[in-house]
Amino acid sequence: MMLADLHNHSCLSPCGSLELSPRRLLEIGAAKGIKLIALTDHNSSLNCPAFAKLCPKYGVIPVYGMEAATSEEIHVLCLFTSLQASMDFNEYAYSILTPFPNNPEKTGDQVYVDEDDNIEGEVENYLISPLDISIDNIGAKIIEYGGIVIPAHVDRPAFSMTSQLGIVVDGPWTALECVRIPPAVNGLPLDTLNYPLITSSDAHFSEHVGRRPFTLNVSAEELQPDGNGTEANIDVLRKALASL
């Protein structure tokens, strides 16, 4: 059994805190006993290389990816255990991101950093903008790149399946992320189509880290058989999520 948290932002997300670097995320998450942490900034994985270098230091198994926004503005967690796969998907996502320039003074900074929190660069286009891909197609595309697909905060009144479509729709989802379990919308139980359900912190600020982890029935040895510094086994992760 391990504590897991598969939805967290960093200083790369314009709606997040500049203080929340990959190092700070791991420092707080590890102190709270979370052993499996995903870094999922809006439409970008550019802080995942620093995250990958730091995870062994904090005894955390990394999951890489992003919180993508579909053309309907439905947020979806795109999760990879391979850093290279995550960075490859990052290039694809940026190529279909709506080209709206970011204005840091109005919408927030979008910086990516190294493992020592030194700023390496800033993303030009606004990362909250939607990608030119629909909810019907994004799941297959993530799987094509070797990832796991989890629609984000399906019970939230914004940027979710229920806010944009009114219902949870079928797809190649490994699980659904909820703010609360059992999920409800407008006080009514939500039909989640029998998908496994998880909670995640959706951390944008330091005080959010570790607020809603969940327990995953898998050991560190099963998930990462070669120990720290190696990729987790995505098939083991997928199976553990499917058993929830």
Side-chain angles (χ1 to χ4, degrees):
M1 304 289 284
M2 67 167 62
L3 275 181
D5 199 332
L6 298 181
H7 186 175
N8 294 283
H9 296 264
S10 73
C11 49
L12 177 57
S13 293
C15 47
S17 168
L18 275 176
E19 179 197 50
L20 191 55
S21 63
R23 179 192 57 78
R24 184 65 174 149
L25 169 64
L26 287 166
E27 184 178 72
I28 300 172
K32 292 187 175 183
I34 304 172
K35 295 298 184 182
L36 182 73
I37 298 179
L39 178 55
T40 53
D41 282 300
H42 288 291
N43 289 328
S44 181
S45 297
L46 287 179
N47 264 343
C48 286
F51 182 71
K53 291 179 181 178
L54 288 163
C55 278
K57 174 182 177 181
Y58 290 95
V60 168
I61 298 174
V63 178
Y64 314 106
M66 66 178 66
E67 181 182 19
T70 70
S71 55
E72 303 91 347
E73 296 195 280
I74 298 169
H75 288 187
V76 177
L77 299 177
C78 317
L79 304 177
F80 305 86
T81 55
S82 162
L83 176 61
Q84 186 59 57
S86 179
M87 300 311 293
D88 290 343
F89 188 77
N90 174 80
E91 289 188 19
Y92 167 75
Y94 199 74
S95 75
I96 60 170
L97 177 68
T98 303
F100 183 78
N102 187 47
N103 183 337
E105 293 184 0
K106 292 184 177 180
T107 51
D109 296 290
Q110 300 183 151
V111 299
Y112 51 99
V113 299
D114 65 15
E115 62 270 30
D116 297 315
D117 294 356
N118 298 308
I119 294 175
E120 294 194 318
E122 188 162 1
V123 176
E124 177 183 353
N125 287 323
Y126 185 49
L127 289 173
I128 305 295
S129 300
L131 304 179
D132 186 19
I133 189 169
S134 71
I135 191 65
D136 292 330
N137 297 320
I138 194 168
K141 181 60 70 171
I142 295 163
I143 291 169
E144 178 184 323
Y145 278 80
I148 285 172
V149 196
I150 300 179
H153 39 64
V154 295
D155 52 341
R156 265 185 52 184
F159 301 115
S160 69
M161 278 187 175
T162 54
S163 71
Q164 306 307 98
L165 304 178
I167 58 172
V168 170
V169 297
D170 198 19
W173 326 130
T174 299
L176 303 177
E177 181 201 47
C178 307
V179 177
R180 295 176 182 84
I181 297 177
V185 174
N186 296 324
L188 298 174
L190 178 62
D191 184 359
T192 55
L193 305 181
N194 294 317
Y195 285 105
L197 305 180
I198 67 168
T199 57
S200 298
S201 294
D202 193 5
H204 287 75
F205 298 87
S206 293
E207 57 267 30
H208 295 163
V209 177
R211 62 180 172 177
R212 285 191 298 266
F214 68 100
T215 301
L216 197 58
N217 189 16
V218 66
S219 70
E221 291 74 20
E222 291 174 296
L223 194 54
Q224 196 181 51
D226 296 327
N228 286 342
T230 63
E231 294 178 1
N233 186 310
I234 197 162
D235 293 326
V236 172
L237 176 58
R238 186 183 291 110
K239 183 178 179 180
L241 287 165
S243 69
L244 290 171

